[in-house]
Amino acid sequence: MHRLPRHRQIKVFEGFAGYGGASFGLRRAGIRHKVVGYSEVDEDAIELYHYNFPNVRNLGDITQLDPHSRSFPDFDLFTGGFPCQPFSTVGKRQGQEDERGRGTLFGDIIRICEVKQPQYILLENVKGLLTGKMRATFEIILDELHRIGYDTRYAVLNSKDYGIPQTRERLWIFGYLGELPEGFSIVPPEEPLQGYLADFLDDNPAPELYKTQRQIARIHEIHHNDIFDVEEPLCYDIYNRKIRTDRICMTVTPPEHNVIRIIEPMQNGEERFRKLSLDEHFRLMGFRMDGVNNEILFPPTQNYTKLGRRAGNGWDVNLVGILLNHIFWQLL
């Protein structure tokens, strides 16, 4: 990834901030920036964000923010991985008319950006927004961005195509206030893997991550599969009851979804079957985690489930860095 030439500092507002995926990605891309504020309501996410970016102010619930208020700073870039559902469904449930996304969290993005007019908007969502019943919602999203002055591009990008051995497909939407340059592309050139799954795992995983032989036998009984005998650590897909032999991890999800396990080579005739560690969760989300200079720091008050949930709901910061670098090389 090439470093950008020197440019003026970009002011950033992170909506739906989570652990600060945009902030970590901007740092990775080498883009001079200042985060002037963020919006997050999940207490655990707020604590994790503040632990890593203690000087950035949380402006609170995005639905309550007033873009006309003097306390709401101006910014150049809005970022957010917003929750989404068909607008018509929301409207029926709430008893209101919102075919244009009004009354939804996407509606708050439009409400704020229509007033603040940032030069850039970067949004993320699941690829399912492009298909089936969700397609109509996606078309409204583009229409609304166009209505308030933004030229848009979108693409589904997969983490495994940009260095990280995780199948993680996400929809990225980029909006530019005005008209994008001719030939602009949101899709960065693909990059080789930095390693396979085995290269992203801990050298000495904690014993409590492992299932007992009795628990493993029960999994065989339920899943009707053979002994777990592999030559290198591989991902086991609990949902589909099979080993991923492509040496790539399936999509990292919150721990309560309970879908990923790691199978390791047998030791002393015993099978090895375990959960991902927290460092592994975040390594597969693009973070550099060497145990000494970890790129993200964990608050001591947060447990496995809380931190694992943040990883599963977060942005692949390696991909975000590549994407932002690619975008701004064409614009700055």
Side-chain angles (χ1 to χ4, degrees):
M1 185 165 60
H2 300 291
R3 287 292 173 187
L4 289 162
R6 187 166 180 81
H7 57 86
R8 71 175 180 84
Q9 187 181 68
I10 295 173
K11 294 180 180 178
V12 183
F13 178 77
E14 279 197 89
F16 320 99
Y19 51 55
S23 290
F24 283 109
L26 285 158
R27 181 187 291 175
R28 185 72 70 84
I31 296 171
R32 292 184 64 233
H33 69 282
K34 178 182 180 181
V35 181
V36 297
Y38 73 99
S39 172
E40 182 56 68
V41 295
D42 183 282
E43 293 294 336
D44 296 325
I46 292 168
E47 183 183 29
L48 180 56
Y49 190 108
H50 184 70
Y51 198 71
N52 286 275
F53 303 103
N55 298 319
V56 181
R57 185 163 61 105
N58 181 16
L59 301 185
D61 185 349
I62 198 168
T63 67
Q64 303 303 309
L65 296 183
D66 179 4
H68 296 284
S69 170
R70 290 185 178 181
S71 64
F72 196 157
D74 293 331
F75 52 89
D76 306 301
L77 168 64
F78 180 100
T79 65
F82 61 103
C84 198
Q85 62 192 108
F87 296 154
S88 59
T89 301
V90 177
K92 289 174 184 177
R93 190 186 73 240
Q94 296 181 346
Q96 65 186 49
E97 188 81 9
D98 72 344
E99 283 77 7
R100 307 307 296 173
R102 300 180 185 89
T104 71
L105 293 170
F106 173 74
D108 290 304
I109 296 174
I110 293 296
R111 179 177 61 83
I112 290 167
C113 290
E114 187 170 13
V115 173
K116 287 296 188 180
Q117 294 281 281
Q119 186 63 59
Y120 319 105
I121 299 175
L122 181 66
L123 306 176
E124 178 260 11
N125 217 292
V126 295
K127 70 171 185 174
L129 192 57
L130 295 176
T131 59
K133 294 180 180 179
M134 294 298 292
R135 182 74 194 196
T137 293
F138 174 69
E139 297 294 345
I140 292 171
I141 287 170
L142 294 188
D143 287 347
E144 285 293 284
L145 288 169
H146 293 164
R147 181 182 66 79
I148 65 172
Y150 289 86
D151 193 3
T152 60
R153 300 290 187 275
Y154 65 90
V156 174
L157 303 177
N158 195 330
S159 292
K160 72 181 181 66
D161 296 326
Y162 295 94
I164 302 299
Q166 180 196 168
T167 298
R168 189 179 192 86
E169 295 179 294
R170 290 294 183 268
L171 169 66
W172 295 93
I173 305 170
F174 178 68
Y176 180 82
L177 187 62
E179 187 174 345
L180 284 164
E182 185 177 352
F184 176 89
S185 171
I186 191 178
V187 181
E190 293 187 3
E191 298 193 3
L193 286 173
Q194 299 170 14
Y196 289 102
L197 173 62
D199 302 303
F200 279 65
L201 301 180
D202 295 344
D203 292 333
N204 297 293
E208 60 267 23
L209 296 172
Y210 289 86
K211 295 294 184 183
T212 66
Q213 296 303 297
R214 184 175 179 177
Q215 289 170 324
I216 296 172
R218 178 60 177 159
I219 291 168
H220 286 311
E221 181 182 343
I222 296 171
H223 290 192
H224 306 290
N225 48 30
D226 297 327
I227 190 170
F228 296 138
D229 187 10
V230 296
E231 295 186 1
E232 66 174 293
L234 296 173
C235 178
Y236 184 74
D237 178 346
I238 287 183
Y239 183 79
N240 291 302
R241 303 182 176 190
K242 65 180 182 180
I243 300 173
R244 288 281 301 261
T245 57
D246 59 0
R247 308 171 77 193
I248 305 291
C249 187
M250 58 190 293
T251 305
V252 172
T253 58
E256 57 264 31
H257 293 182
N258 201 35
V259 295
I260 300 176
R261 292 293 182 270
I262 301 299
I263 297 174
E264 297 176 353
M266 296 177 67
Q267 285 188 7
N268 303 318
E270 293 189 340
E271 296 170 87
R272 307 273 285 174
F273 188 91
R274 67 175 179 86
K275 300 189 296 184
L276 286 169
S277 73
L278 284 175
D279 279 5
E280 290 166 345
H281 272 92
F282 282 84
R283 214 173 279 133
L284 287 163
M285 293 303 294
F287 287 93
R288 295 169 181 141
M289 308 292 289
D290 63 7
V292 179
N293 298 304
N294 288 348
E295 196 171 2
I296 186 169
L297 304 176
F298 301 150
T301 52
Q302 293 202 10
N303 60 22
Y304 181 95
T305 299
K306 290 181 176 183
L307 288 166
R309 188 177 295 138
R310 298 275 64 79
N313 289 323
W315 285 8
D316 170 358
V317 299
N318 173 73
L319 173 56
V320 175
I322 292 169
L323 175 60
L324 287 168
N325 186 281
H326 173 72
I327 287 171
F328 283 109
W329 257 111
Q330 298 172 84
L331 299 176
L332 294 177

